[in-house]
């Protein structure tokens, strides 16, 4: 089989004779297919690219290509200045490496990486979970699965952005290390807890950052050991294959409290997470130090529940408790723990990775629901607050600047137009606000999309990348999986990449008629690799 790529009709890249065993993508028990259960095809009848095809032998992941004589030559034209420095990455599935340190769906991922390389993607983002690497015992690190992925990425010729994840995941199921979970059974105060006593066990409470709750060590000491081990294990890849490192800062890697649980409706304001024993102890101490001991007995009593709208109770109403002296006291304390946590983690990372020439990043959420309300409740319950009219996001940006870290902002595919009017949501204004705060503090911004495709998402991403004021240097598209390689989605992604690269047909080939664009990543029955969507 031949793999056709874009280029001069006279240019020959390479040719290979490949076995006919193909590679398939599956999502759970569902096979994503265009023509058969063993084939995934991406077709566009109006495309000016003829064909990209990939097949892999059962014993090898070699993929070679030649240029079809009928494929028109695409000439690169100068990009707008705002897009020249934007590098495009794609995230790998969250479960790329299993709890047993095996690389899941290896052949499918390898074929996918080759396809991305052909498209012109610069690199991939690899989520590296604490619960996989340090699973069995404190200080016992097993990097073999992630090292195998790094080697594949290197051989394909892509760059790697490593995301060090100190949190767990519900889908797919990835927990904290087994030894940490065992400690949590005896000392449940290490987890975030809401007022109903419900615990969030995919992340440790910010209040235990400096408490020796992990076999005599603090979480910060454990995170430092993890970072040092990572630096040592991947030393051969630093600065060449690995060109960026993200530090997990909270739930799903984002700097926030888990104010919205996954099984709760996102239409609500969220819940304050201040009821674990360590948080309550810190609140009590803070209240006593300010001369208001009665304010330290618990969180706001008049705040709404997860799925209740902000105005269902008085706390977030205009003139409500959030604007009172008590509200300023509580929200300032609640936010201070969030900011301190970010400073601790980023300071450790800055110290460990100093001098290796690889930029560090941290991720903020885009809590755009209810942003048009004066109280902006979704942001307050997640920990974003600043008193006396100060910019809450600029305070965060100062911490990133202090530690020479870049800020990742998701949701760059979202627009106000497609939000429910009832939610009073404004992703565009919130995104603009955060980018402005970063610019004031000279913090470099990197972008991501939201977790699920949205109408007009690719067009909105391009508009955000063109923003001269933000100077976005890196965009990571989330995330590889069955949906990503579905015919409709991959076709749209291909057009998106072309738009970033500003390709156009030369006049020599404009008259050429090309019928289809196809990318084949198929599978033999019973031998297909499984690729889970993140």
């Amino acid at each position: 089989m031949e793999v056709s790529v874009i280029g001069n009709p006279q240019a020959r890249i390479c040719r290979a004779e490949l076995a006919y065993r193909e590679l398939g993508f599956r999502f759970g028990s569902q096979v994503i297919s265009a023509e058969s259960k063993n084939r995934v095809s991406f077709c566009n009848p109006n495309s000016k690219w003829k064909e990209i095809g990939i097949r892999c032998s059962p014993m090898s992941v070699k993929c070679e290509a030649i240029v079809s004589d009928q494929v028109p030559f695409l000439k690169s034209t100068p990009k707008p200045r705002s897009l020249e420095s934007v590098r495009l990455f794609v995230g790998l599935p969250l479960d790329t490496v299993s709890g047993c340190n095996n690389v899941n769906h290896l052949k499918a991922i390898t074929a996918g990486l080759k396809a991305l390389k052909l498209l012109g993607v610069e690199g991939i983002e690899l989520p590296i979970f604490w619960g996989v690497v340090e699973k069995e015992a404190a200080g016992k690190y097993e990097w073999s699965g992630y090292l195998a992925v790094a080697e594949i990425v290197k051989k394909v010729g892509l760059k790697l952005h490593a995301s060090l994840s100190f949190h767990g995941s519900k889908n797919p199921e990835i927990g904290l290390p087994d030894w940490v979970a065992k400690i949590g059974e005896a000392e449940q105060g290490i987890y975030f807890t809401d007022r109903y006593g419900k615990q969030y066990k995919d992340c440790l409470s910010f209040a235990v950052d400096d408490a020796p709750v992990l076999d005599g060590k603090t979480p910060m000491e454990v995170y430092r050991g993890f970072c040092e081990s990572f630096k040592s294990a991947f030393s051969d890849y630093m600065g060449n294959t690995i060109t960026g490192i993200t530090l997990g800062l909270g739930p799903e890697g984002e700097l926030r409290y888990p104010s919205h649980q996954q099984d709760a409706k996102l239409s609500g304001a969220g819940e304050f997470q201040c009821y674990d024993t360590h948080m309550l102890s810190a609140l009590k101490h803070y209240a006593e130090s300010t001369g208001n001991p009665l304010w330290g007995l618990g969180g706001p009593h008049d705040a709404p529940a997860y799925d209740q709208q902000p105005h269902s109770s008085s706390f977030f109403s205009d003139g409500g408790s959030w604007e009172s002296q008590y509200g300023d006291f509580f929200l300032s304390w609640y936010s201070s723990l969030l900011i301190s946590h970010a400073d601790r983690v980023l300071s450790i990372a800055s110290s460990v990775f100093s001098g290796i020439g690889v930029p560090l990043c941290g991720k903020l959420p885009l809590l755009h629901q209810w942003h048009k309300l004066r109280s902006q409740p979704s942001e307050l319950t997640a920990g974003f607050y600043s008193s006396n009219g100060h910019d809450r996001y600029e305070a965060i940006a100062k911490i990133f600047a202090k530690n020479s870290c870049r800020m990742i902002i998701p949701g760059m595919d979202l627009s106000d137009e497609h939000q429910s009017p009832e939610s009073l949501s404004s992703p565009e204004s919130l995104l603009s606000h955060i980018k402005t705060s970063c610019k004031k503090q000279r913090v470099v911004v990197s972008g991501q999309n939201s977790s699920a495709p949205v109408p007009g998402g690719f067009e909105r991403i391009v508009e955000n990348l063109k923003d001269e004021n933000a100077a976005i240097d890196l965009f990571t598209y989330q995330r590889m999986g069955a949906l990503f390689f579905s015919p409709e989605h991959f076709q749209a992604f291909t057009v998106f990449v072309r738009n970033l690269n500003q390709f156009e047909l030369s006049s020599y080939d404009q008259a050429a008629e090309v019928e289809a664009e196809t990318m084949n990543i198929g599978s033999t029955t019973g031998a297909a690799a499984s690729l889970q969507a993140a």
Side-chain angles (χ1 to χ4, degrees), residues 22-39:
E22 298 179 333
L23 217 53
F25 293 94
R26 293 191 179 191
F27 178 57
S29 60
Q30 179 183 5
V31 179
I32 305 299
S33 173
E35 298 181 10
S36 73
K37 289 186 177 181
N38 295 326
R39 187 166 183 257

Side-chain angles (χ1 to χ4, degrees), residues 256-269:
R256 62 178 174 86
Y257 287 93
S259 51
H260 279 99
Q261 306 290 334
Q262 290 192 357
D263 56 351
K265 296 179 181 178
L266 289 177
S267 59

Side-chain angles (χ1 to χ4, degrees), residues 369-381 392:
Q369 282 203 302
W370 307 112
H371 185 68
K372 293 179 181 179
L373 284 179
R374 285 185 57 244
S375 59
Q376 298 173 334
S378 293
E379 295 163 71
L380 295 186
T381 56
R392 66 189 71 174

Side-chain angles (χ1 to χ4, degrees), residues 6-21:
I6 305 159
N8 190 305
Q10 304 302 319
R12 177 172 299 274
I13 299 177
C14 51
R15 181 188 296 271
E17 297 296 327
L18 302 174
Y20 284 95
R21 185 170 182 176

Side-chain angles (χ1 to χ4, degrees), residues 4 18 48 106 121 135 144 166 182 234 247 276 283 290 298 306 339 351 374 382 385 433 438 449 457 473 492:
S4 301
L18 302 174
K48 295 179 181 178
L106 173 62
V121 171
K135 181 177 182 178
S144 59
F166 299 114
K182 187 176 180 180
F234 288 81
L247 282 303
D276 65 74
L283 176 59
T290 59
Y306 286 111
I339 294 174
S351 172
R374 285 185 57 244
Y385 173 78
H433 180 175
C438 288
N449 56 308
D473 75 321

Side-chain angles (χ1 to χ4, degrees), residues 141 219-229 347-348 351-352:
Y141 307 104
M220 292 299 110
E221 290 172 330
V222 173
Y223 296 164
R224 175 181 287 275
F226 186 91
C227 291
E228 289 173 344
S229 179
S347 293
I348 286 172
S351 172
V352 171

Side-chain angles (χ1 to χ4, degrees), residues 113 117 376 432:
L113 295 181
K117 177 67 176 177
Q376 298 173 334
S432 176

